[in-house]
Amino acid sequence: MPIATINYLGETPVIRKRLLVLALASLLIIAALGAPTQAQEKIQINFVHIFGGQQDFRSQVVQGIADAFMAQNPNIVVNVSSTSTDYVELFNNALLAAEQGQAPHIVQVEDSLIQLAADSDVFHLIGDIATPEQLATLDDLLPTVRAYYTLNGKLVGMPWNASNPILYYNRTMFAAAGLDPDAPPKTFAEVLETCEKIMAQRETLKINACINFPITSWFAEQWLAMQNALFVNNDNGRSARATEALFTSPEMLRVAEFHKALKERGYFTYTGRANDYNGEGITFLSKRTAMTISSTAGLTLFMNFSKAQGFELGTAPLILPDERADNGVTVGGASVWVTKGHSEAETKAAVDFIFFLTNTENDMTWHKGTGYFPIRKSSVERLTAEGWFEQNQPFAIAVNQLVNSRGNIANAGFVVGASAELREALTKAFQSIVDGGETPEAALAAAKQAADRALAEYNAVVGN
Amino acid sequence: MADERLQKLSVRAITAFVIVFSVWFVIAERDGLLRLLTWLLAGLADAPRALEALISYYATLPSEPLLLSAGVGGLAGGIVSHLIWRRAVRTGKRVPQRALGLALGIGVGMAGAQIAATATQHCTYRPEASAAETLLGVVLTALTAIAVLLPLWTLLLGRRRFEQAESGYFRSRGLGYILLLPTLLSLLIFLYYPSAQMFNMSLMARRFPIRTERFVCLGNYISLLNDVVYQNSLLTTFLITIFVVLGSMVTALGIAVLASQKVRGAALYRTLLIFPFALSPVVSAAVFQAMFREGGSGLINYLLDLTLGVQPGWLRDAMLARLVVVFAAIWNILGFNIIFYVAGLQNVPRDLQEAAAIDGANRVQRFFRIVLPMLAPYTFFLLVTNVTYAFYGIYGAIDMLTQGGPPIGAAGALGGATEMLIYKLYQDGFRPGAPIGSAAAQAVFLFTIVAGLTVLQFRTIERNITYGG
């Protein structure tokens, strides 16, 4: 019998009647389920971060802190979740949710996104909504950390997870090359000297190059801050909107020349992909280079893998452009922000949670649990008193580097809405110097042109 | 009659399943559905206000832009109607009066032109518009006018009327439409509405997530056309597309012919050959990244260094980087092509080949004269899908391998060696502070290019293909 004769649905009145009954029944069920079950008495706040699910140890630390907060405040429920493991995606998700009126209460916002976050009008500024008692505790923040997240004299987001780049080197390889493992290079010039000695024994060390690191704008920002030079005009975009990228300054030229010198002498290699922190880590840990530069966020991983690879890991402060460049580094990482459009009780609970999250006690827990820096003077003091840094030398190097930074405009870091475009332009400049054989002057001039265009376009849209 | 009982039973089972599923779906997704409903109702409630705004817009519109846009639309409509009319006469169709047809065409064209003109607020017809904007505006207006006339074309010429479907019909017309409703709704909400919104966005200067926006007419399109980076990206896209499409189809055909030979374990080979397609583009590109990564931790360079003592800059040299991206893309889509060619080869009638063999045709002649033409429908289908893949699906490979690099010119002032349109679009549309107006304009361009290519392929190649045999 051909299928064509089947008449789907509506064959007999009986089925129709049954359909009707079913439809009515389902409507009833929906009505029953859809009705509000009971009045919500507890205050619910949602907190989104990038640290992934429960399998990520950093996520577990956050959950532990949230649990402690809920134990102290039985009327508040903190729902911690990770809608993305990428800062930009998390930020975009939160803003799209905000457009639908469903913004999470607390959002983790990466350092370079703060101008956008402030311009978006989606967030409260912490300085506006915290109580006077809470604001008083801000004096305890490390000066560089506080300066980075302060705009027009007001704290915009609460700093939370902070990290820095440092120099990682292979002590075993240094010893084999006849170098003192306890005297890693401190400046650009010393890196070139060290590399000359290391590359002389390239065959015996079986290395590809002397040093590798991601081609990125982040290190250049650090090296500018160390030389007390600005990244963009108008006080790094802090006194007024930046209109010009200062990429052709002698300080930036020195950074570009360093890239060129490393490349020309064959001391440098990278994976061929910009900002490839993981790939560069693999190159260094596979003993294909003697040194690398990477974030302190990867410190724990580097320590574990170097043990597995059978070499002794050395860490040192980020190399300086020269001995006189002692202005210190800027802080990388992220801050936490409270979104607008929630009830007063919810907003207050969110602010309370943020200050709980970053109080001295939890700041120490956070540092010990994840390797991110403590952000409070009091936590550094207590950790020192406990002897934590003596037992964990690599952490001490990184934290000292930040504590010793002078809190001024140069190492407060730049704030620009179109920061992603500026960083991309600079990254491409370094790439074209290393791979395309461009002169540092030409590459930086082209990058400045692209960056200035992005600044102008952004300012034209946003206005002042 | 066991047959009939079985049928009734199966109809009931299907009905019950559909009902249970619908009920479950409605309950599980009630929050989302309710939001959707409120949104739709709000949209409906907004309709009178939108209409009012439209009326007041036209009331205050100066007559010059209106007349100009209507003129362009009328001209395009008239020309198209004239062509349709001539063609209809030639094919011997019953046609209405020529004057009536022309008048109708001009009228519809004039009205249709207002769709694009209203969306752009007649900005391209205002005195302050630049020459390039005016020109682009004329093209846009003419295209809209013609698009509105297309249904007329189909109606008059009656190209390819489909026979009444043979299997299954609905006794009541309403039920059919009700069952179509979910599809239509989702098309409307998730495809057509966002497309219209995107076009609207492409006329704005806006930075996500900042809410302020400024109307810039076709400025985004004009600056893209003048942007040397965008021009190079277009060239790169065509270059890489040609290599990916040719490479993947020729390789797939070769492998499919080999895999169709009667050898032991042929099924196993086929499975293994198709397997790369099961990987997502990002995963397969990650495999390629592990192989081609430089700096000493990549597999290929490790082996080359060990054996030949060379380490090519796979991702740092412009030509090599393009090559690696092409390889990765070909490898990823190869399995898809092989599936179709293997299936196609099984449908090539043996008797034709045997007859040719008896007539003295050798293997090569049989392949090129019989097998290849018989595969033409498959080749055409694969051509269209592979071109689309090369334009859109290659994104993952580029993101994992080169991120559009290596830069060409100082600091990438001339773009990137592997910066294809889709990658540039993603970069411009989804980074923080993204210039989403420009990204939307790129999306419109990209859609136009792919749609144009597809139409071109259908009109030039598909006509010469015989389906079935």
Side-chain angles (χ1 to χ4, degrees):
Chain A
M1 184 180 272
I3 307 169
T5 56
I6 299 182
N7 177 11
Y8 291 102
L9 294 184
E11 191 172 23
T12 61
V14 181
I15 288 191
R16 272 203 191 146
K17 222 177 256 171
R18 274 188 203 157
L19 267 177
L20 199 67
V21 170
L22 260 172
L24 280 176
S26 48
L27 266 178
L28 275 176
I29 294 168
I30 294 161
L33 286 173
T37 40
Q38 67 203 50
Q40 298 278 350
E41 281 171 21
K42 290 194 169 183
I43 299 168
Q44 301 266 346
I45 56 173
N46 301 317
F47 171 28
V48 292
H49 61 68
I50 59 145
F51 297 124
Q54 280 302 312
Q55 71 281 5
D56 191 315
F57 62 96
R58 297 171 299 187
S59 177
Q60 291 165 13
V61 178
V62 182
Q63 189 60 53
I65 296 176
D67 289 343
F69 182 75
M70 288 188 274
Q72 282 184 20
N73 302 276
N75 62 327
I76 301 174
V77 178
V78 182
N79 303 308
V80 185
S81 62
S82 187
T83 56
S84 170
T85 54
D86 176 75
Y87 278 120
V88 171
E89 218 172 83
L90 186 88
F91 186 67
N92 283 351
N93 287 350
L95 289 161
L96 290 172
E99 278 189 10
Q100 313 284 323
Q102 309 210 342
H105 299 73
I106 306 172
V107 182
Q108 186 188 11
V109 176
E110 194 217 1
D111 51 19
S112 72
L113 299 175
I114 59 177
Q115 181 69 53
L116 264 186
D119 286 341
S120 70
D121 202 32
V122 166
F123 300 95
H124 288 294
L125 306 185
I126 282 285
D128 285 339
I129 49 169
T131 63
E133 298 85 63
Q134 287 169 333
L135 288 176
T137 71
L138 296 179
D139 291 335
D140 187 29
L141 291 177
L142 294 174
T144 352
V145 177
R146 184 171 185 181
Y148 200 108
Y149 295 101
T150 302
L151 285 182
N152 303 323
K154 199 178 285 170
L155 193 71
V156 288
M158 187 68 186
W160 180 32
N161 57 316
S163 59
N164 262 171
I166 54 169
L167 179 76
Y168 293 87
Y169 63 102
N170 187 325
R171 291 177 67 96
T172 315
M173 215 178 269
F174 265 52
L179 293 161
D180 180 5
D182 291 324
K186 292 193 194 70
T187 61
F188 285 178
E190 284 181 31
V191 165
L192 294 176
E193 280 168 32
T194 309
C195 277
E196 196 182 350
K197 289 177 194 148
I198 287 176
M199 289 306 276
Q201 305 189 43
R202 190 185 162 181
E203 298 299 317
T204 47
L205 295 174
K206 290 188 191 139
I207 52 172
N208 226 20
C210 166
I211 186 169
N212 71 307
F213 52 81
I215 299 258
T216 174
S217 159
W218 194 40
F219 301 159
E221 289 161 33
Q222 304 291 341
W223 284 324
L224 277 199
M226 287 171 153
Q227 303 176 78
N228 201 3
L230 302 185
F231 196 73
V232 291
N233 70 348
N234 289 339
D235 296 332
N236 260 346
R238 284 170 185 273
S239 61
R241 284 195 188 279
T243 54
E244 195 192 347
L246 305 175
F247 289 175
T248 48
S249 66
E251 289 86 358
M252 185 66 96
L253 192 64
R254 185 174 291 155
V255 174
E257 295 280 7
F258 178 56
H259 281 84
K260 183 168 180 257
L262 283 177
K263 156 72 185 175
E264 275 183 350
R265 302 183 195 183
Y267 298 165
F268 177 73
T269 190
Y270 79 112
T271 60
R273 195 167 175 255
N275 292 307
D276 189 6
Y277 288 86
N278 286 340
E280 304 301 344
I282 294 172
T283 301
F284 172 73
L285 290 168
S286 342
K287 296 185 266 193
R288 308 293 296 169
T289 58
M291 293 183 271
T292 191
I293 302 172
S294 194
S295 166
T296 46
L299 190 48
T300 317
L301 283 178
F302 270 97
M303 294 201 290
N304 293 342
F305 276 107
S306 58
K307 237 173 260 162
Q309 287 285 81
F311 71 87
E312 205 186 334
L313 179 76
T315 55
L318 179 63
I319 44 174
L320 308 168
D322 62 40
E323 296 86 15
R324 286 162 299 138
D326 60 350
N327 195 45
V329 290
T330 83
V331 61
S335 51
V336 277
W337 294 57
V338 177
T339 55
K340 289 181 175 172
H342 303 291
S343 73
E344 214 166 293
E346 284 174 356
T347 308
K348 189 185 173 302
V351 177
D352 288 347
F353 176 69
I354 281 181
F355 276 88
F356 182 80
L357 179 70
T358 53
N359 71 18
T360 309
E361 202 70 36
N362 289 321
D363 192 27
M364 288 164 63
T365 315
W366 179 240
H367 167 67
K368 287 182 182 171
T370 64
Y372 279 107
F373 293 160
I375 54 161
R376 285 182 182 276
K377 293 177 205 159
S378 54
S379 353
V380 176
E381 278 159 22
R382 275 180 57 186
L383 285 164
T384 315
E386 277 179 17
W388 164 262
F389 290 124
E390 273 165 43
Q391 294 151 23
N392 298 278
Q393 268 301 319
F395 288 113
I397 287 166
V399 173
N400 278 337
Q401 175 174 310
L402 190 68
V403 172
N404 294 335
S405 289
R406 298 194 194 123
N408 59 18
I409 290 171
N411 58 25
F414 75 105
V415 279
V416 156
S419 57
E421 278 151 283
L422 265 64
R423 285 182 160 175
E424 191 189 307
L426 195 59
T427 306
K428 282 185 177 168
F430 294 142
Q431 255 187 316
S432 70
I433 291 168
V434 169
D435 291 334
E438 296 287 337
T439 64
E441 288 83 2
L444 290 178
K448 176 181 158 54
Q449 212 181 356
D452 286 353
R453 197 170 48 229
L455 287 173
E457 280 176 13
Y458 184 89
N459 292 346
V461 172
V462 179
N464 301 305
Chain B
M1 297 278 281
D3 252 10
E4 220 161 279
R5 280 231 308 278
L6 201 66
Q7 267 185 13
K8 259 187 196 162
L9 205 68
S10 66
V11 168
R12 272 179 204 173
I14 292 170
T15 313
F17 175 76
V18 168
I19 290 171
V20 168
F21 177 80
S22 313
V23 169
W24 169 80
F25 181 78
V26 168
I27 292 174
E29 300 292 329
R30 64 182 188 282
D31 287 350
L33 287 172
L34 269 177
R35 269 214 301 282
L36 189 66
L37 198 68
T38 359
W39 181 77
L40 281 175
L41 289 178
L44 275 181
D46 223 28
R49 226 165 348 117
L51 196 68
E52 223 170 86
L54 193 68
I55 290 169
S56 75
Y57 169 73
Y58 269 94
T60 54
L61 184 70
S63 55
E64 193 182 318
L66 181 63
L67 286 178
L68 279 174
S69 62
V72 171
L75 195 66
I79 292 172
V80 170
S81 314
H82 175 69
L83 290 177
I84 296 175
W85 187 84
R86 264 209 352 222
R87 194 136 153 207
V89 169
R90 234 189 296 139
T91 46
K93 289 251 162 46
R94 263 189 329 121
V95 288
Q97 284 282 309
R98 182 179 182 178
L100 187 73
L102 268 183
L104 191 73
I106 292 172
V108 172
M110 283 165 86
Q114 295 311 309
I115 297 175
T118 311
T120 57
Q121 303 179 17
H122 291 84
C123 66
T124 61
Y125 293 101
R126 291 177 200 262
E128 61 268 25
S130 68
E133 260 177 340
T134 311
L135 192 68
L136 204 60
V138 167
V139 174
L140 183 68
T141 315
L143 279 178
T144 337
I146 293 169
V148 174
L149 276 170
L150 273 184
L152 200 68
W153 175 299
T154 324
L155 213 65
L156 264 180
L157 294 183
R159 260 187 91 218
R160 264 217 199 126
R161 283 183 63 91
F162 289 99
E163 294 300 310
Q164 193 82 45
E166 283 167 25
S167 53
Y169 61 92
F170 296 106
R171 234 173 234 175
S172 69
R173 223 156 216 260
L175 186 64
Y177 284 115
I178 289 173
L179 292 179
L180 262 181
L181 198 65
T183 312
L184 286 179
L185 257 183
S186 46
L187 275 178
L188 198 70
I189 296 171
F190 296 111
L191 204 64
Y192 302 142
Y193 175 70
S195 304
Q197 247 193 342
M198 191 184 64
F199 180 73
N200 193 38
M201 209 191 274
S202 75
L203 306 171
M204 302 289 174
R206 194 193 154 189
R207 292 264 165 172
F208 183 83
I210 315 291
R211 290 197 182 116
T212 44
E213 54 187 16
R214 194 161 42 87
F215 183 76
V216 291
C217 196
L218 299 181
N220 287 327
Y221 294 90
I222 303 294
S223 46
L224 279 179
L225 289 175
N226 291 328
D227 184 5
V228 65
V229 173
Y230 193 73
Q231 291 162 4
N232 284 345
S233 174
L234 188 66
L235 282 181
T236 307
T237 307
F238 277 108
L239 188 74
I240 291 183
T241 300
I242 289 171
F243 279 97
V244 167
V245 172
L246 280 182
S248 66
M249 287 177 58
V250 171
T251 320
L253 181 58
I255 292 177
V257 169
L258 289 180
S260 302
Q261 306 297 322
K262 287 201 179 73
V263 287
R264 251 215 279 170
L268 183 70
Y269 288 132
R270 267 178 244 160
T271 312
L272 288 178
L273 285 168
I274 288 163
F275 151 77
F277 183 60
L279 295 178
S280 94
V282 178
V283 175
S284 80
V287 173
F288 269 74
Q289 210 221 343
M291 293 199 302
F292 286 98
R293 186 163 46 208
E294 294 176 53
S297 54
L299 258 178
I300 300 243
N301 270 0
Y302 179 73
L303 290 177
L304 284 180
D305 191 30
L306 222 58
T307 51
L308 303 173
V310 291
Q311 298 194 38
W314 291 110
L315 304 175
R316 298 156 70 161
D317 179 87
M319 253 6 258
L320 286 179
R322 290 189 188 119
L323 205 66
V324 172
V325 166
V326 166
F327 275 156
I330 289 180
W331 190 73
N332 192 226
I333 196 160
L334 204 56
F336 177 78
N337 293 353
I338 292 174
I339 295 176
F340 281 91
Y341 272 136
V342 165
L345 284 168
Q346 283 169 355
N347 284 341
V348 175
R350 294 264 159 239
D351 46 356
L352 269 183
Q353 296 203 59
E354 278 161 18
I358 292 166
D359 286 345
N362 63 27
R363 263 169 172 273
V364 178
Q365 283 171 326
R366 270 180 289 165
F367 179 76
F368 281 103
R369 297 283 170 82
I370 295 173
V371 176
L372 208 55
M374 293 300 286
L375 285 176
Y378 295 89
T379 307
F380 177 69
F381 167 77
L382 288 177
L383 182 68
V384 175
T385 47
N386 281 11
V387 167
T388 313
Y389 165 78
F391 266 87
Y392 288 112
I394 209 165
Y395 167 78
I398 294 176
D399 192 44
M400 279 306 293
L401 287 166
T402 62
Q403 296 180 319
I408 307 174
L414 301 177
T418 56
E419 193 171 62
M420 292 181 73
L421 291 176
I422 184 70
Y423 189 72
K424 185 169 165 46
L425 163 60
Y426 180 82
Q427 282 244 304
D428 285 349
F430 291 92
R431 66 171 148 224
I436 47 177
S438 168
Q442 289 181 39
V444 173
F445 270 146
L446 187 58
F447 170 77
T448 315
I449 293 169
V450 175
L453 275 179
T454 310
V455 170
L456 193 75
Q457 291 172 52
F458 267 91
R459 293 193 65 84
T460 54
I461 304 172
E462 204 236 3
R463 290 196 168 164
N464 305 320
I465 289 177
T466 333
Y467 288 92

